[in-house]
Amino acid sequence: MTPSPPTLLVLDADPPPRLGRLTGRARIVHTDAGHLAERLPEADALLVWDFTSHAVREAWPGDGRRPRWVHTASAGVDHLMCPELAASDTVVTNARGIFDQPIAEYVAALVLAVAKDLPRTLGYQRERTWRHRESRRVAGTRACVVGSGPIGRAIARTLKALGVTTALVGRLPRTGIHGPDDLDRLVSRADWVIAAAPLTERTHRMFDARRFGMMQPSAFFVNVGRGQLVDEDALAEALTRRWIAGAALDVFATEPLPADSPLWELPELIVSPHMSGDTVGWRDELGLQFVELYERWAAGRSLVNVVDKKRGYVPGH
């Protein structure tokens, strides 16, 4: 008798993943957040395709069997981790590798746009105003990239290609990477401060009034990590009081950013809707990555991108 294929539960988002390659090799069951808790006990594996949902974190502590493997189609895992999942034998993997270079290019685009005053140029063009200015030279400036994972390293490489002297800060000091003890010193000297760290207890609101206060008045801050890395009220004050020259946020504590949020109208703040890693075809890349991981898992081979559930990210960086 042929054994039945494993049950793959998919927490859906629109558009759904393309999993045709798994036909006959997995019993694929789709669910929404409202029915996740009742479906979890039947699943051998869970694909969190809706990586904006907190449904896994809320449903996991319930009764019944739990999947042996959970994969999230995102770099961050804070949206699904809960104490019960962290303490379980379930393997958690993420989409490490998909977003690294696109996010690095986005950060580089922001640095160039700000240095060359492109937002103001476009504004003057709309007004039909001819106003000559001088712009900043990017080569020779300094950047502090906080987060030494693949995304942070890609950002550092890309900025270095522009001639920016770049310091990378990670959880632990090692060759080519500074530890947390160097962060304040590096932030206080940087022209560009880039937040690309995972969200953990250590990094929650690490950019607060004290850190913004120690930055140079000419410094520009960028967050492409997690919204909760930043005390948004402190950033608002820093921009309003002109403690720093400007900022760009691609992630926020509440997403989508409410229409009545004061962040929309802050001086010298660029707001983007969590899109820095989303290039044409990114969903297909995420789907293909998962299918390849599923094939490894079904064959009993070791998985890659395995998250340290207590740390909240893939170790080794």
Side-chain angles (χ1 to χ4, degrees):
M1 183 176 176
T2 304
S4 57
T7 296
L8 169 62
L9 183 62
V10 181
L11 178 59
D12 266 338
D14 189 35
R18 299 171 64 177
L19 302 175
R21 212 163 101 183
L22 300 183
T23 301
R25 302 160 68 187
R27 173 179 170 261
I28 301 175
V29 178
H30 295 267
T31 187
D32 57 18
H35 294 90
L36 178 63
E38 65 188 73
R39 292 286 179 88
L40 272 179
E42 67 183 278
D44 298 297
L46 171 65
L47 167 58
V48 185
W49 190 248
D50 184 1
F51 52 80
T52 65
S53 172
H54 294 115
V56 175
R57 191 164 64 193
E58 296 161 2
W60 195 272
D63 296 328
R65 188 174 69 98
R66 290 296 180 258
R68 292 176 284 135
W69 170 39
V70 174
H71 176 77
T72 178
S74 61
V77 298
D78 51 277
H79 60 289
L80 57 84
M81 293 305 298
C82 62
E84 292 81 2
L85 175 54
S88 72
D89 294 330
T90 297
V91 176
V92 175
T93 56
N94 73 353
R96 183 186 189 194
I98 299 295
F99 302 107
D100 308 354
Q101 192 56 36
I103 292 177
E105 293 170 3
Y106 199 86
V107 170
L110 286 170
V111 167
L112 288 168
V114 169
K116 302 309 175 185
D117 205 22
L118 292 184
R120 219 176 312 272
T121 295
L122 294 173
Y124 286 142
Q125 179 180 347
R126 284 191 293 269
E127 298 170 1
R128 302 188 178 212
T129 299
W130 181 278
R131 183 164 298 175
H132 181 270
R133 290 106 60 219
E134 295 177 344
S135 64
R136 296 176 64 186
R137 187 188 292 262
V138 172
T141 59
R142 293 177 174 177
C144 174
V145 180
V146 184
S148 60
I151 292 173
R153 295 199 300 271
I155 292 169
R157 286 193 304 270
T158 304
L159 292 181
K160 285 177 182 177
L162 296 175
V164 178
T165 300
T166 306
L168 196 56
V169 180
R171 190 179 69 91
L172 296 171
R174 51 207 183 276
T175 304
I177 298 175
H178 296 268
D181 290 347
D182 292 334
L183 179 58
D184 288 353
R185 175 177 60 83
L186 294 170
V187 162
S188 68
R189 300 168 57 191
D191 300 290
W192 316 99
V193 178
I194 319 296
L199 178 61
T200 67
E201 289 184 3
R202 289 186 176 188
T203 62
H204 183 262
R205 291 197 172 190
M206 66 186 304
F207 290 98
D208 54 12
R210 186 182 71 84
R211 285 244 160 82
F212 289 123
M214 68 176 53
M215 293 181 191
Q216 299 184 82
S218 59
F220 191 85
F221 174 75
V222 178
N223 186 13
V224 289
R226 281 290 178 266
Q228 293 86 349
L229 300 179
V230 176
D231 180 335
E232 292 176 350
D233 290 338
L235 174 60
E237 183 178 14
L239 290 170
T240 301
R241 293 178 178 270
R242 303 192 182 279
W243 294 346
I244 60 175
L249 301 180
D250 186 56
V251 287
F252 300 86
T254 300
E255 296 184 4
L257 186 65
D260 60 355
S261 171
L263 294 177
W264 289 107
E265 298 181 353
L266 277 178
E268 307 303 329
L269 176 63
I270 298 172
V271 171
S272 58
H274 204 151
M275 58 176 283
S276 60
D278 300 348
T279 51
V280 175
W282 65 283
R283 289 184 179 87
D284 289 340
E285 291 184 54
L286 288 171
L288 178 60
Q289 180 188 54
F290 174 75
V291 167
E292 293 175 348
L293 281 170
Y294 182 90
E295 291 172 344
R296 295 177 67 101
W297 176 77
R301 297 164 58 200
S302 60
L303 289 168
V304 297
N305 291 7
V306 176
V307 173
D308 182 320
K309 294 183 291 183
K310 289 186 168 47
R311 294 184 185 179
Y313 54 85
V314 179
H317 54 263

